[in-house]
């Protein structure tokens, strides 16, 4: 018989990893809830995430994973409780937060250059597509270098692979040198190799730039080597725990309402398999 996820007692704070990254709280929810109209998306969210961590966000479709990110971005207000992000209340347009939205496939005949797509992250709010300043061009070049995209910076975006396009969206999110990065299913529609590369790119960026990362994903396997903790949404309540807390066959089976197995190899590596 499956253990109901609401009965699993988890620590509300995802504690620092053994490397000791981060000495402050980057994100904190205190009995927070979101209601849209008469519908409660989730409620009773109480947990905190240490600065410098990479935390996965999981749960079935429609449970409010993207909504959680939108609360941190100041796009949706908590209807109860409180939310703190980087020491203050959420607000729109916070340059300390980089956001990578769910990726849509770009048309193959889109002639926009890769570097111009990244540049839109700085000047997309302007009327028209006027010339960029020297500082803006330098910021784009730095972001392209950070994600390893210099080789195709002048190629049409529509001709790039899904993994290459995803790197450009991450480059956009880096333009303001954020302290927090939110990624909404960046591995969707990527092959295994591209997904692996994106995970390790993000992990390297958070280490070298001291960024806290919240990473929405359906498949935990590509993330298991780099995760510090996991937030999962069950019974309309976001909960947080360590990887060991959450990576349990019974918990994940109940969460997704289908049989899920967590296996461990002889050398200590774990992987998650659905029935």
């Amino acid at each position: 018989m499956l253990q109901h996820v609401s009965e699993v007692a988890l620590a509300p704070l995802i504690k620092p990893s053994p490397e000791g990254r981060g000495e402050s709280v980057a994100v904190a929810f205190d009995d927070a809830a979101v209601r849209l109209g008469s519908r409660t998306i989730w409620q009773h969210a109480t947990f905190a995430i240490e600065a410098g961590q990479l935390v996965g966000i999981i749960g079935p479709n429609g449970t409010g994973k993207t909504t959680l990110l939108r609360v941190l971005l100041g796009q949706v207000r908590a209807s109860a409780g409180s939310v703190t992000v980087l020491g203050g209340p959420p607000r729109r347009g916070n340059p300390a937060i980089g956001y990578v939205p769910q990726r849509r496939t770009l048309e193959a005949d889109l002639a926009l250059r890769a570097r111009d797509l990244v540049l839109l992250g700085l000047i997309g709010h302007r009327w028209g597509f006027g010339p960029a300043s020297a500082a803006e061009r330098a910021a784009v070049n730095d972001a392209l270098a950070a994600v390893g995209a210099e080789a195709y910076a002048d190629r049409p975006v529509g001709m790039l692979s899904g993994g290459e396009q995803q790197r450009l969206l991450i480059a956009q999110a880096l333009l303001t040198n954020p302290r927090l990065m939110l990624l909404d299913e960046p591995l969707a529609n990527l092959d295994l190799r591209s997904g692996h590369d994106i995970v390790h790119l993000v992990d390297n960026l958070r280490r070298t730039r001291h960024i806290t990362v919240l990473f929405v994903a359906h498949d935990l396997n590509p993330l298991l080597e780099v995760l510090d903790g996991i937030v999962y949404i069950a019974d309309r309540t976001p909960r947080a725990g360590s990887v060991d807390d959450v990576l349990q066959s019974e918990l994940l089976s109940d969460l997704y309402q289908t049989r899920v197995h967590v296996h461990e190899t002889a050398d200590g590596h774990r992987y998650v398999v659905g029935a």
Side-chain angles (χ1 to χ4, degrees), residues 2 219-221 224 246-254 256 258-264 269-275:
L2 299 181
D219 184 4
L220 277 174
N221 287 312
L224 290 181
V246 181
L247 211 63
Q248 303 291 334
S249 296
E250 291 190 356
L251 189 154
L252 294 175
S253 294
D254 199 35
Y256 289 104
T258 189
R259 179 59 64 184
V260 177
H261 301 281
V262 178
H263 294 277
E264 184 168 347
H269 288 87
R270 290 177 292 185
Y271 59 96
V272 181
V273 179

Side-chain angles (χ1 to χ4, degrees), residues 160-182:
L160 301 179
S161 69
E164 290 168 338
Q165 291 179 3
Q166 190 63 64
R167 286 175 182 264
L168 299 179
L169 297 180
I170 294 172
Q172 270 193 352
L174 292 174
L175 288 172
T176 58
N177 295 311
R179 295 162 52 203
L180 172 66
M181 184 176 291
L182 310 176

Side-chain angles (χ1 to χ4, degrees), residues 13 34 99 187 244 252 257 260:
L13 176 68
V34 170
Y99 177 49
L187 306 184
D244 288 339
L252 294 175
Q257 291 298 295
V260 177

